[in-house]
Amino acid sequence: MSFRTTATDYVEDVSPGSGALPPRARHPSSDARTLSLNGSWRFRLSPTADAQDDSFAAAGHDAGDWAEITVPGHWVLQGHGSPIYTNHLYPFPVDPPRVPTENPTGDHLRHFDLPADWPAEGGTVLRFDGVESCARVWLNGTDIGEFKGSRLPHEFAVGHLLKPAGNVLAVRVHQWSAGSYLEDQDQWWLPGIFRDVTLLHRPPGSVLDYFVHASYDHVEGLGTLRVDSDVDGRVVVPGLDVDVATGEPVTVPVRPWTAETPRLYDGTLVTEGERVPLRIGFRTVALDDGLIKVNGRAILFKGVNRHEWHPERGRALDPETMREDVLLMKRHNINAVRTSHYPPHPAFLDLCDEYGLWVIDECDLETHGFTEQAWRDNPVDDERWTPALLDRAARMVERDKNHPSIVVWSLGNEAGTGRGLTAMAEWIRGRDGSRLIHYEGDPDCRDTDMYARMYAGHAEVERIGRGLDGGTHKRRGLPFILCEYAHAMGNGPGGLADYQRLFESYDRIQGGFVWEWIDHGIKDERYGFAYGGDFGEELHDGNFVCDGLLFPDRTPSPGLVEYKKVIEPVRIDGDGPAGTVRVTNAYDFADLSGLAFEWSFQVDGVSVESGALSVPALGPGDSADVKLPPPSADGHGAETRWTVRAVLAEETAWGPRGHVVAWSQLPVTESPLPSVAQTDGPVLGLRDITLGPAAFDARTGALRTIGGIDVTGLRLDLWRAPTDNDNGAHWQPDARLGPLWRRLGLHRMRHRLDAVELGDDALTVRTRVAPAGREAGLRTVYRWTSDGTRLRLTVSVAPEGAWTLPLPRLGIRLGLTGPADRAVWFGGGPGEAYPDTGSASMLGRWESSVEDLQTPYVRPQENGARADVRRAEIGGLRVEGEPAFWFTARRWTTEQLDAADHLTDLVPGDTVWVNLDHGQQGIGSQSCGPGALPQYQLQAGPAEFSFVFSEIHD
């Protein structure tokens, strides 16, 4: 007979742990003493859970040869082991609740003394705000308990164990545990004590738990406050002249809290032993008439999913980084956050209360990896795991229940369906009926108050908005949100404006949350930023972890700039030639009194006049027509337009005076298209053909120079380095454009020269462009003419054979071998834009270095195109387009860009490669969502476009 029992059996126990105190509200500060145990800890890493005994926890243990690490932190980001990235696959065999013997285990030691004035009376609580994934704790040699639930708080009563000096806190942290099966979120697996560790003195008569109930009657304009506390006390709110006993309701006139008007009232919960500060926001959340309403009004989520991330510290975020996130969100018109897929650091929720963001607070639960076995053995449908699920729900709700920003509780993410989820929903409703419940994986809405989906395409969203989606009777009567959409991986997401039009067209659709906020790139001297597979993982999902609106260093991506424009809370349109503007307030609650309006008048992209525009302080949903002043500038023969901006009238908590909230451009006159009189004819020399300012190869007709500018490799170009959205999701193999383009051979096109023809007034070069191994091709004719100083190229393209796929791009590429460090252009800018990502592209005169024209996506791909370009100047060469074109310039070829895995693979060359594109394929978000809509697809068909080249003379 044999049996297995060890001192680490708790690691594979499905229970949430033992020894911890019941969950309760977390208050950020009170007048009770605290002692932070953050800082430098001694650390020892072992390969298995039972490689070491627990003697290290005893006083006097010699840890002099141990390493030192920083807490909060992850040991794999501090030189001990390596991070692992998987999207949904478990990086260990799926055999719940068992985990591998190879289970990296980190022993942590912290020696500390109590402050000399640490109170002797009362008790003390040791609090851990976050440890991944399982921890066992000793204080002064006494085993006080163990716990799971990585992104959740755990507290232990330790007052009886403390000494004035020489305290030894020992924490053993296991990377893998039964809890890991509940934490299969799309993120890096990063073990360690990654949130704060704190000692909290609990004076006699202090508050253990309290619940702030602060509702708002929008009809009467009254707020009702009741603060329940486990100990009797009083609630004092000076700004409301309130002084009442705990548990006693009081109704007073208040200004309500909303994400747009985040009014907080400072109060104090006073008990015999403690004074706890309160930040009270009055608001009422309800499901009413099939809509999510706050304070009686339906709201529209303009949100993001937010993982916690820092490129050097992982999920160990500092207050400054959290504040930076919130400020960036507010400055980009974002009004909502889904805390994917776990409760965030509580300080982040304090910031959401203060600055104003709607929050869907999500439980630390995801079992996504069970999809690989058709959800068999899924813990959420196994009653053995229900206590752990309920513990996680309770620790979220109890910790966060006093935050007015939280309007919805979420049961978790991608955990299938099961009895455990129902038990969680029932418990939450019983504890807190003042908020709604979300869970995307509940298609019949059995346990939820809203119908939620991920990545539904535009057509399906419209069907849902029209009530044609079917489903149960209950579901058809519920509001709809896209809890994830517009996958922001790499270049993109495309189609944001099309989604927003649907959100604003149908009341039932109450917005969505872009996936996601930030790229999870890890700062790495080898690659700049590393992603999945860069640390030798046997299973990984590559750069799928880099799918955010921010780059890892928190630089906004073009996707965030686009999103800001699409969701702007003021709509500005009108009639440019008539000089009239219609302004519409698209806020749900706020009027426009905090905004100032400005106009400017542009001639060929340059502002020549500007001024203030008087707009009334419109209420939500209201519109007004405003007259612009007659322009005094003479725009004859030029392209002219108005630009109208809504800016912050004064500095606010989140933005400076003059910060642009919304803008629009109204065209007045269009500039004439470039024309070139065909006065010069081609002249054949010994080796060259000359035509006006240009010289061509006599044999091939290839352009060599324009005046003193050397040009190389001018030819039709179809290929772009596939974006993450072109490459698509692995579960959509038949629709992934990148691989299909490669299969067709578009990355290796061959150019056959058919004829070089010299006419009286034109040089004509006839070619056929086609991939090897395929019959489909493009008959391409280059026709060159000149007026003596300028050179006009007209490109005619005619498809031959069966073209069943959209093209990546259609235009010409050329290389400039001379100095070409800067570009100036009249067109869309300042950033990149593509057919379905161009809302934020503002027509103007822009200038940039070639280096800054590049968008530094963590995995290199097509980027940097400027849209609607009328003319561009680079390297002494001016290019004018007929019609407007996309302009791209970089110091590496498309092929080099395509071959690169990291930005450090791209080595600038001496040649600047310029793309002048007549057409571009849309972007979409097919890395995890729909592809480009039909109207943004570049289908093969007959096309003709022209460019006029001239040398710039200073």
Side-chain angles (χ1 to χ4, degrees):
M1 179 177 180
S2 63
F3 59 91
R4 178 182 181 270
T5 179
T6 74
T8 58
D9 281 351
Y10 63 90
V11 173
E12 296 181 337
D13 192 331
V14 299
S15 74
S18 63
L21 295 170
R24 65 186 183 106
R26 182 189 192 276
H27 47 269
S29 62
S30 77
D31 61 351
R33 292 294 304 275
T34 64
L35 176 65
S36 172
L37 298 180
N38 295 346
S40 179
W41 290 51
R42 289 290 186 173
F43 176 78
R44 174 181 65 186
L45 181 63
S46 301
T48 65
D50 58 358
Q52 302 287 343
D53 60 29
D54 58 11
S55 61
F56 80 103
H61 183 84
D62 183 6
D65 60 346
W66 288 24
E68 291 191 22
I69 64 171
T70 298
V71 170
H74 306 278
W75 70 67
V76 294
L77 297 182
Q78 299 185 63
H80 305 277
S82 298
I84 299 170
Y85 167 60
T86 61
N87 168 26
H88 76 279
L89 293 175
Y90 290 102
F92 48 78
V94 180
D95 182 23
R98 304 292 301 280
V99 294
T101 300
E102 295 85 359
N103 188 356
T105 295
D107 290 335
H108 300 67
L109 277 177
R110 177 75 156 85
H111 295 80
F112 65 94
D113 300 333
L114 292 178
D117 58 348
W118 189 263
E121 71 282 358
T124 299
V125 167
L126 172 64
R127 182 184 187 93
F128 295 90
D129 278 306
V131 182
E132 183 176 330
S133 72
C134 173
R136 187 175 181 181
V137 185
W138 295 262
L139 181 60
N140 292 329
T142 298
D143 184 350
I144 61 174
E146 45 85 13
F147 61 89
K148 308 176 189 75
S150 297
R151 268 66 71 174
L152 298 163
H154 295 84
E155 292 182 331
F156 298 88
V158 297
H160 60 294
L161 299 174
L162 287 171
K163 303 182 296 184
N167 293 284
V168 179
L169 176 59
V171 186
R172 174 164 285 169
V173 180
H174 308 282
Q175 174 154 15
W176 311 123
S177 69
S180 301
Y181 284 99
L182 304 180
E183 297 172 3
D184 190 27
Q185 294 99 338
D186 176 10
Q187 61 180 345
W188 294 96
W189 299 88
L190 298 174
I193 305 172
F194 68 94
R195 287 186 185 159
D196 306 287
V197 183
T198 312
L199 275 181
L200 301 94
H201 179 242
R202 301 283 76 217
S206 62
V207 180
L208 289 179
D209 195 18
Y210 65 99
F211 197 162
V212 177
H213 304 274
S215 62
Y216 179 70
D217 183 337
H218 67 278
V219 176
E220 301 294 334
L222 300 175
T224 299
L225 174 66
R226 187 185 85 245
V227 178
D228 296 331
S229 172
D230 65 295
V231 296
D232 292 338
R234 300 198 67 79
V235 177
V236 180
V237 187
L240 297 174
D241 197 23
V242 166
D243 185 345
V244 297
T246 53
E248 180 180 332
V250 58
T251 300
V252 291
V254 298
R255 291 167 55 193
W257 188 98
T258 75
E260 297 166 5
T261 57
R263 181 65 167 93
L264 293 172
Y265 292 90
D266 290 320
T268 308
L269 170 57
V270 182
T271 70
E272 177 187 352
E274 189 175 20
R275 297 174 62 89
V276 178
L278 306 176
R279 305 214 75 192
I280 304 165
F282 290 88
R283 56 105 186 96
T284 295
V285 184
L287 183 62
D288 184 21
D289 294 328
L291 297 174
I292 302 168
K293 293 185 178 181
V294 177
N295 302 337
R297 294 187 183 180
I299 60 175
L300 185 65
F301 292 120
K302 303 173 181 178
V304 292
N305 287 273
R306 175 186 175 270
H307 268 297
E308 296 186 301
W309 187 251
H310 187 281
E312 297 174 85
R313 300 189 296 272
R315 287 187 287 278
L317 295 192
D318 58 277
E320 291 75 20
T321 298
M322 289 183 270
R323 186 177 297 273
E324 184 179 357
D325 277 349
V326 171
L327 293 178
L328 280 168
M329 290 176 189
K330 294 293 291 186
R331 291 169 184 168
H332 287 85
N333 295 329
I334 289 163
N335 73 359
V337 178
R338 176 179 175 227
T339 68
S340 54
H341 298 294
Y342 41 83
H345 191 292
F348 179 77
L349 298 175
D350 294 336
L351 294 166
C352 294
D353 295 340
E354 178 183 352
Y355 291 100
L357 289 168
W358 307 118
V359 175
I360 295 181
D361 197 4
E362 193 148 86
C363 194
D364 190 9
L365 172 62
E366 181 167 337
T367 64
H368 199 173
F370 284 90
T371 57
E372 294 298 309
Q373 53 199 60
W375 296 107
R376 187 177 65 257
D377 299 327
N378 184 11
V380 303
D381 201 28
D382 184 337
E383 62 184 11
R384 295 176 302 164
W385 295 80
T386 299
L389 302 181
L390 291 173
D391 180 77
R392 288 171 183 249
R395 292 190 181 278
M396 171 183 70
V397 171
E398 300 295 6
R399 189 196 76 168
D400 295 343
K401 59 183 178 282
N402 295 323
H403 289 282
S405 58
I406 298 172
V407 293
V408 177
W409 300 116
S410 177
L411 303 180
N413 183 68
E414 293 178 314
T417 59
R419 294 164 286 177
L421 290 164
T422 299
M424 294 169 69
E426 290 175 348
W427 185 91
I428 292 173
R429 283 197 174 91
R431 178 57 174 149
D432 177 27
S434 70
R435 296 174 172 94
L436 304 181
I437 293 180
H438 162 272
Y439 178 64
E440 181 271 340
D442 184 5
D444 294 332
C445 301
R446 180 181 63 180
D447 301 320
T448 62
D449 297 308
M450 61 203 70
Y451 177 32
R453 286 285 308 281
M454 296 180 180
Y455 306 109
H458 299 78
E460 183 179 0
V461 170
E462 183 163 22
R463 288 196 300 272
I464 293 170
R466 297 172 61 190
L468 303 177
D469 56 303
T472 63
H473 176 75
K474 178 185 178 183
R475 191 180 89 180
R476 293 197 304 274
L478 293 178
F480 174 77
I481 64 168
L482 275 171
C483 62
E484 293 181 21
Y485 83 111
H487 197 249
M489 184 176 178
N491 188 335
L496 280 171
D498 305 273
Y499 273 117
Q500 195 65 25
R501 280 190 286 270
L502 294 171
F503 298 166
E504 296 176 5
S505 297
Y506 298 97
D507 291 342
R508 184 190 181 191
I509 305 174
Q510 294 196 250
F513 297 78
V514 168
W515 185 268
E516 66 162 308
W517 177 237
I518 188 169
D519 288 343
H520 302 199
I522 294 176
K523 189 173 182 180
D524 189 288
E525 62 181 12
R526 300 169 299 170
Y527 306 123
F529 294 109
Y531 50 76
D534 288 337
F535 299 96
E537 305 103 302
E538 62 181 3
L539 285 178
H540 66 85
D541 286 282
N543 68 310
F544 202 70
V545 77
C546 293
D547 47 12
L549 294 169
L550 294 180
F551 295 125
D553 62 0
R554 282 181 161 73
T555 300
S557 76
L560 181 57
V561 177
E562 172 82 354
Y563 194 37
K564 175 188 177 181
K565 174 62 180 165
V566 164
I567 61 176
E568 59 190 11
V570 180
R571 300 301 188 198
I572 304 170
D573 54 22
D575 186 331
T580 58
V581 176
R582 166 156 284 204
V583 177
T584 301
N585 181 351
Y587 284 111
D588 292 327
F589 296 93
D591 64 26
L592 300 187
S593 59
L595 300 180
F597 288 79
E598 304 170 345
W599 63 266
S600 59
F601 189 72
Q602 286 85 41
V603 176
D604 278 351
V606 178
S607 290
V608 296
E609 295 179 69
S610 62
L613 186 66
S614 179
V615 176
L618 300 168
D622 292 343
S623 298
D625 292 322
V626 182
K627 188 71 175 177
L628 291 161
S632 58
D634 180 11
H636 181 70
E639 184 168 353
T640 60
R641 63 185 54 221
W642 299 98
T643 298
V644 179
R645 294 178 174 88
V647 304
L648 290 180
E650 301 294 340
E651 182 179 359
T652 70
W654 52 265
R657 183 175 184 268
H659 168 78
V660 177
V661 173
W663 61 270
S664 183
Q665 291 189 303
L666 308 175
V668 180
T669 61
E670 301 293 331
S671 60
L673 294 173
S675 62
V676 174
Q678 299 175 195
T679 58
D680 276 28
V683 177
L684 178 63
L686 182 62
R687 296 182 178 175
D688 292 333
I689 299 169
T690 57
L691 175 62
F696 301 80
D697 184 281
R699 183 179 62 85
T700 64
L703 178 66
R704 286 180 170 174
T705 61
I706 299 176
I709 302 167
D710 292 331
V711 179
T712 185
L714 188 150
R715 57 172 48 180
L716 188 78
D717 193 17
L718 303 183
W719 183 244
R720 73 182 188 195
T723 68
D724 290 316
N725 290 302
D726 291 337
N727 284 332
H730 65 83
W731 56 86
Q732 302 167 311
D734 296 330
R736 297 163 63 201
L737 278 177
L740 291 174
W741 285 337
R742 290 188 196 279
R743 191 181 310 167
L744 185 59
L746 297 188
H747 62 306
R748 47 177 177 79
M749 301 293 283
R750 298 290 181 263
H751 297 250
R752 187 186 73 204
L753 177 63
D754 288 341
V756 177
E757 300 170 353
L758 280 68
D760 292 339
D761 58 3
L763 169 65
T764 303
V765 180
R766 302 184 185 277
T767 69
R768 188 175 190 272
V769 182
R774 304 287 180 176
E775 64 171 353
L778 298 170
R779 288 281 180 185
T780 306
V781 178
Y782 308 90
R783 188 173 189 272
W784 299 91
T785 57
S786 178
D787 63 2
T789 59
R790 297 188 298 166
L791 183 70
R792 181 186 185 93
L793 167 63
T794 299
V795 182
S796 303
V797 179
E800 297 179 335
W803 286 91
T804 59
L805 298 175
L807 302 176
R809 68 177 352 129
L810 181 66
I812 62 170
R813 180 174 74 172
L814 57 93
L816 301 177
T817 57
D821 296 325
R822 300 194 65 80
V824 178
W825 71 98
F826 171 32
E832 72 182 26
Y834 292 81
D836 54 351
T837 67
S839 298
S841 182
M842 178 183 286
L843 197 74
R845 183 186 183 277
W846 307 101
E847 183 173 359
S848 171
S849 67
V850 170
E851 179 183 9
D852 289 342
L853 286 174
Q854 316 311 308
T855 305
Y857 295 113
V858 175
R859 187 195 71 82
Q861 55 198 274
E862 166 62 32
N863 74 89
R866 269 55 180 183
D868 301 316
V869 175
R870 278 68 166 159
R871 57 180 176 267
E873 299 174 0
I874 184 170
L877 183 68
R878 176 181 290 117
V879 184
E880 300 168 87
E882 181 188 343
F885 57 97
W886 276 273
F887 166 70
T888 310
R890 53 177 68 103
R891 287 197 173 275
W892 38 76
T893 65
T894 299
E895 291 74 19
Q896 290 168 327
L897 182 63
D898 187 12
D901 293 322
H902 297 88
L903 290 172
T904 50
D905 296 332
L906 294 169
V907 179
D910 295 332
T911 300
V912 172
W913 293 96
V914 177
N915 275 93
L916 310 173
D917 290 318
H918 175 64
Q920 276 269 0
Q921 165 70 8
I923 298 296
S925 64
Q926 202 168 11
S927 53
C928 188
L933 288 167
Q935 62 266 35
Y936 306 121
Q937 295 176 12
L938 181 61
Q939 301 295 341
E944 185 171 285
F945 48 93
S946 297
F947 300 102
V948 175
F949 301 94
S950 56
E951 187 177 9
I952 302 171
H953 297 283
D954 295 333

